């Protein structure tokens, strides 16, 4: 009976050691996932900043285009010439040869 109890205790100790090893492995996986998540969050933030800069640049280019079109329109008006296709010409040129 005492021998049976010893064997059961040994099995229990083995199970406890296995569980402890499993817990350590889980901790390692969680730590790696947290690190990867942190890197991913940083990449997302960097991408947001880049998108904001690009959006600002696009708005600036669109404003420049509108200003240029208005200037050309005013210039045409001042010399009495009308080119209704000029804005579309500018737009087509910009689409084929962007800055």
């Amino acid at each position: 009976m005492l021998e049976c109890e010893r064997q059961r205790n040994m099995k229990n100790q083995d199970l406890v050691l296995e569980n402890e090893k499993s817990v350590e492995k889980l901790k390692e996986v969680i730590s790696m996932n947290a690190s990867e998540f942190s890197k991913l969050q940083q990449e997302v933030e960097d991408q947001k900043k880049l998108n904001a800069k690009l959006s600002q640049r696009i708005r600036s280019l669109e404003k420049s285009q509108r200003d240029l079109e208005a200037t050309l329109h005013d210039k045409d008006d001042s010399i009495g010439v009308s080119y209704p296709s000029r804005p579309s010409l500018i737009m087509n040129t910009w689409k084929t040869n962007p800055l």
Side-chain angles (χ1 to χ4, degrees):
M1 183 158 156
L2 189 58
E3 185 62 32
C4 228
E5 189 68 28
R6 271 191 206 145
Q7 287 179 352
R8 200 174 7 205
N9 282 342
M10 287 178 61
K11 285 181 185 179
N12 284 341
Q13 284 179 347
D14 288 344
L15 288 174
V16 166
L17 285 175
E18 275 185 51
N19 285 339
E20 287 175 353
K21 287 178 185 178
S22 295
V23 166
E24 287 303 313
K25 285 181 184 179
L26 284 172
K27 285 180 181 179
E28 288 175 17
V29 168
I30 289 170
S31 176
M32 286 185 346
N33 285 342
S35 174
E36 290 174 14
F37 182 71
S38 177
K39 288 177 186 176
L40 183 60
Q41 280 182 315
Q42 185 59 50
E43 289 177 22
V44 167
E45 286 303 313
D46 292 346
Q47 190 65 41
K48 283 181 181 180
K49 288 176 185 176
L50 178 60
N51 287 345
K53 286 179 183 179
L54 290 174
S55 293
Q56 179 61 35
R57 180 72 175 142
I58 288 169
R59 285 191 295 275
S60 174
L61 289 171
E62 289 172 340
K63 183 183 181 314
S64 295
Q65 180 182 345
R66 287 190 303 271
D67 291 348
L68 178 59
E69 289 172 357
T71 300
L72 288 174
H73 180 68
D74 292 345
K75 182 78 170 172
D76 289 346
D77 285 349
S78 71
I79 60 174
V81 178
S82 177
Y83 294 101
S85 63
R86 183 169 284 172
S88 62
L89 175 66
I90 293 168
M91 193 62 182
N92 288 336
T93 303
W94 183 78
K95 284 181 182 176
T96 57
N97 299 313
L99 298 176

